[in-house]
Amino acid sequence: MSDRVVNPLLSSKCDAEGNEGEAAKDTDEFLAQSRPTVIESPRTKYGSVQPTTLMESAAAYTAASAPKCLPVVVPIITGEEGESNVLQISCKLFVHDKRTQSWTERGRGYLRLNDTASNEDGTLQSRLVMRQQGNLRLILNSRLWANMQIERANRKSLCCTATDLEDKSVQVFLIQASAKDIGRLYTAIHHRLVALRNCVTQESDSTQTEPDSEASMTYFKTDSEDEEDDELTQMGCTVSGRCGWIGGQSVLCT
């Protein structure tokens, strides 16, 4: 103590050494606190101990306790399961408004031309189905019929009559797509309309031939009845020729 008082240089040196010692002690404590906590895992079957960190232990516990929920596969039913798709194009759909005489956009998406299996009479049924892109809302669902009208407005547009989903009436629709897709769609619809019109013509011809056959049968029956009437008349004349008068009374001669 007396040395420090007498010699100020020595006292300052001792103070510096004390400060360095305290700083080193604080550094060791900080490093000890910043080290990850090691949790000894239970011994394995080989007797060795594998140390794990707190994060690894938490992850292992979460993985072991978390329920394993697998997503359930839900079948998607669109109503087109019994149909065969012939053509599918990406397009825009417009409907003609009669009041304003303008075109109103219905939406854009994929237009599909489907054919159903042959019916009992062997005819083929086709329909146009279109769903809006994104929410898959049905915006067009119309069957093809013999009096359906189609016309190419230009290279990338096609006008056709179809059944409207809102009021179940026949409206004029405009389909806009690429020139290649419009050409394929027009050709496919045109071929099916020609086939439907041919079926209607054949049915009308068959219905017209049936009354003709009935009339001919009636004619034949009339001729046969006339022949029977003629035979009865001849027989009556023969009998009357054999009749005579005896004593003022008619007598049949045998």
Side-chain angles (χ1 to χ4, degrees), residues 39-81:
I39 301 175
E40 293 185 357
S41 61
R43 293 180 178 273
T44 61
K45 61 180 180 179
Y46 299 104
S48 60
V49 177
Q50 297 179 354
T52 57
T53 61
L54 183 60
M55 295 297 295
E56 293 176 353
S57 179
Y61 175 78
T62 304
S65 60
K68 296 181 180 180
C69 297
L70 298 178
V72 180
V73 179
V74 179
I76 300 175
I77 301 175
T78 60
E80 306 176 22
E81 286 73 21

Side-chain angles (χ1 to χ4, degrees), residues 10-22:
L10 182 60
S11 62
S12 60
K13 183 178 180 181
C14 293
D15 294 337
E17 291 179 356
N19 294 334
E20 289 178 0
E22 292 178 358

